[in-house]
């Protein structure tokens, strides 16, 4: 039985057992992971699985369940049990499907799948990881150890069908290579990392380049020290700036808004950043990690401008949160795991780049901090309070002068967005949530006192 046939069997059984509506997600996935350390193979894991998730509506009552047993008899019993469960839960007046006219009709070719990734062998993955680690270990005599290198190759086939008549699917793949070298000096040891994760094998950074970049990042952290507590301009490199975008992406989700757990509640239409700040969520960028032709409710995905010229212009919504918040329709942002109900989720969420090279941003700062790593989870999305451990490079007279560690960067997310003074021109969609370099005019850097 194909996954499409499994989905149709479950929907038919649900209808026969009293469901007024139902939808089903079926995912067939394969994952290969190979890790090496100190030029020796350390781990090989490979897994394949099929899962089916069913959401059943009986009027305004609903239930969600999942199974990995896709035999016909098991699926019929599974559908009957899910219907029974839906009949005993409380009604929710906002539950239900998107309007039929919102469903995707044409599926664009988004270059999400590469058969070379799906068919990658452990030997091929090991070779990529070994090349990355060898490049890092051989880069400099101060690289004295490695926490390992890893190559991961994933592929999946997704099928979604509902009683609205929608039944479509697509394939996807992703491959990543990462390495974590350790550098040593008289003052101690430091570790850092670099990685590349892409949909298509041809997009992957050369493993040698990944290793060199990881080694450079570890070396520049040597001889780090703390600094006195101060308020200074802070530059976030693209890796750490993406975390600021991540916090924003979570704060604009429909469920965060109707639950009142976002510092952006009630700020739709208000100015939250300078006029040169524009943030976009776009699920239709070819070969990007967050792209998909339709969302987890079959709704057509699209480009949504979340912050337009500094103004908060849109939340990200699934059908349920749209109804809860009184919006006419979803924004095509429903996401779900196989065994969960849909919730709004970002796709490719990024800050549009500026025109200034990151080197010029550093030269523009007479005294400040260039952040390259963040640790800890000191972020309260309800209030926007922000306090995270950081490391990076201290800037004096427009140049990076020494490595910094054991400091905390603190502020409030709402104020941080309003204090953005410049944006770099170095946006790269290395992850689904991405940003170029960001310069924030003033933040508290808490150091040794």
């Amino acid at each position: 039985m194909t996954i499409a046939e499994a989905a149709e069997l479950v929907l038919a059984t649900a209808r026969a057992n009293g469901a007024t509506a139902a939808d089903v997600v079926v995912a067939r996935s394969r994952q290969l992971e190979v890790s090496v350390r100190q030029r020796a193979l350390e781990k090989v894991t490979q897994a394949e699985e099929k899962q089916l998730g069913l959401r059943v509506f009986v009027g305004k009552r609903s239930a969600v369940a999942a199974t990995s047993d896709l035999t016909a008899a098991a699926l019929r019993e599974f559908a009957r049990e899910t219907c029974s469960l839906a009949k005993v839960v409380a009604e929710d007046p906002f539950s239900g499907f998107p309007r039929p006219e919102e469903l995707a009709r044409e599926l664009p070719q988004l270059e999400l799948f590469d058969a070379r990734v799906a068919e990658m062998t452990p030997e091929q993955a090991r070779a990529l990881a070994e090349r990355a680690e060898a490049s890092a270990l051989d880069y400099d005599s101060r690289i004295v150890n490695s926490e390992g290198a890893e190559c991961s190759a994933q592929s999946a086939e997704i099928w979604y069908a509902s009683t609205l008549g929608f039944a479509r699917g697509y394939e996807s793949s992703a491959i990543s290579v990462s390495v974590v070298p350790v550098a040593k000096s008289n003052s101690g040891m430091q570790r850092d990392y670099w990685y590349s994760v892409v949909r298509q094998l041809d997009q992957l950074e050369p493993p040698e380049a990944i290793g060199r970049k990881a080694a450079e990042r570890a070396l520049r952290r040597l001889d780090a020290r703390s600094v006195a507590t101060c308020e200074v301009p802070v530059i976030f490199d693209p890796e750490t700036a993406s975390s600021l975008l991540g916090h924003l992406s979570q704060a604009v989700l429909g469920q965060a808004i109707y639950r009142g757990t976002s510092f952006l509640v009630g700020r739709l239409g208000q100015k939250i950043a300078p006029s040169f700040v524009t943030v976009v969520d776009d699920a239709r960028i070819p070969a990007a990690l967050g792209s998909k032709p339709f969302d987890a409710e079959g709704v057509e995905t699209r480009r949504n401008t979340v912050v337009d010229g500094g103004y908060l212009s849109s939340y990200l919504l699934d059908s349920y949160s749209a109804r809860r918040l009184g919006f006419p329709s979803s924004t095509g942002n429903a996401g779900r795991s196989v065994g969960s109900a849909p919730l709004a989720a970002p796709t490719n969420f990024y800050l549009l780049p500026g025109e200034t090279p990151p080197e010029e941003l550093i030269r523009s700062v007479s005294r400040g901090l260039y952040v390259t790593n963040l640790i800890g989870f000191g972020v309260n999305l309800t209030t926007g309070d922000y306090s995270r451990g950081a490391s990076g490079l201290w800037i004096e007279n427009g140049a990076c002068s020494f490595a910094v560690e054991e400091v905390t960067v603190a502020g409030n997310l709402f104020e941080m967005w309003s204090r953005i003074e410049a944006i770099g021109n170095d946006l790269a969609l290395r992850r689904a949530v991405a940003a170029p370099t960001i310069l924030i005019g003033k933040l508290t850097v808490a150091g040794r006192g």
Side-chain angles (χ1 to χ4, degrees), residues 251-293:
V252 299
L253 298 181
Q255 58 269 22
I257 302 302
Y258 71 70
R259 291 169 181 166
T261 57
S262 166
F263 66 96
L264 295 176
V265 170
R267 296 192 184 274
L268 193 64
Q270 294 184 12
K271 192 172 180 63
I272 66 167
S275 59
F276 55 83
V277 172
T278 294
V279 178
V280 167
D281 185 82
D282 187 351
R284 297 210 163 192
I285 301 173
L289 291 168
S291 295
K292 50 188 174 182

Side-chain angles (χ1 to χ4, degrees), residues 122-146:
E123 291 76 17
Q124 291 172 316
R126 176 181 179 177
L128 292 172
E130 286 179 336
R131 288 167 56 190
E133 192 194 41
S135 175
L137 290 172
D138 296 340
Y139 182 78
D140 190 287
S141 60
R142 292 170 294 171
I143 301 296
V144 297
N145 204 339
S146 165

Side-chain angles (χ1 to χ4, degrees), residues 115-345:
R116 294 170 297 176
V117 174
E119 297 166 1
M120 180 158 285
T121 65
E123 291 76 17
Q124 291 172 316
R126 176 181 179 177
L128 292 172
E130 286 179 336
R131 288 167 56 190
E133 192 194 41
S135 175
L137 290 172
D138 296 340
Y139 182 78
D140 190 287
S141 60
R142 292 170 294 171
I143 301 296
V144 297
N145 204 339
S146 165
E147 292 189 6
E150 184 170 297
C151 177
S152 173
Q154 305 167 40
S155 61
E157 181 182 4
I158 308 295
W159 188 263
Y160 173 80
S162 76
T163 52
L164 288 177
F166 187 96
R168 307 293 288 270
Y170 61 91
E171 290 182 291
S172 66
S173 62
I175 179 168
S176 67
V177 173
S178 62
V179 60
V180 185
V182 178
K184 183 178 181 181
S185 70
N186 291 334
S187 64
M189 293 192 289
Q190 296 282 355
R191 60 187 286 279
D192 212 318
Y193 70 95
W194 195 243
Y195 67 95
S196 175
V197 53
V198 292
R199 295 247 185 225
Q200 307 273 345
L201 189 59
D202 293 341
Q203 299 174 301
L204 191 69
E205 290 180 37
E208 290 76 14
I210 296 169
R212 287 194 299 272
K213 185 69 176 287
E216 290 169 354
R217 287 170 61 90
L219 289 169
R220 74 181 182 184
R221 296 186 66 173
L222 289 173
D223 306 319
R225 58 183 190 263
S226 186
V227 296
T229 299
C230 53
E231 282 194 341
V232 292
V234 173
I235 297 176
F236 291 86
D237 77 349
E239 287 298 298
T240 53
S242 68
S243 73
L244 298 180
L245 265 292
H247 301 320
L248 184 69
S249 75
Q250 297 303 302
V252 299
L253 298 181
Q255 58 269 22
I257 302 302
Y258 71 70
R259 291 169 181 166
T261 57
S262 166
F263 66 96
L264 295 176
V265 170
R267 296 192 184 274
L268 193 64
Q270 294 184 12
K271 192 172 180 63
I272 66 167
S275 59
F276 55 83
V277 172
T278 294
V279 178
V280 167
D281 185 82
D282 187 351
R284 297 210 163 192
I285 301 173
L289 291 168
S291 295
K292 50 188 174 182
F294 55 84
D295 77 358
E297 297 179 300
V299 173
E300 188 171 81
T301 52
R302 66 193 196 198
R303 175 187 172 102
N304 295 295
T305 301
V306 176
V307 179
D308 190 358
Y311 288 87
L312 182 61
S313 55
S314 177
Y315 296 134
L316 300 182
L317 307 170
D318 63 321
S319 295
Y320 181 85
S321 61
R323 281 190 288 269
R324 283 286 301 259
L325 295 169
F327 289 94
S329 63
S330 162
T331 58
N333 282 93
R336 67 198 285 188
S337 63
V338 169
S340 68
L343 287 171

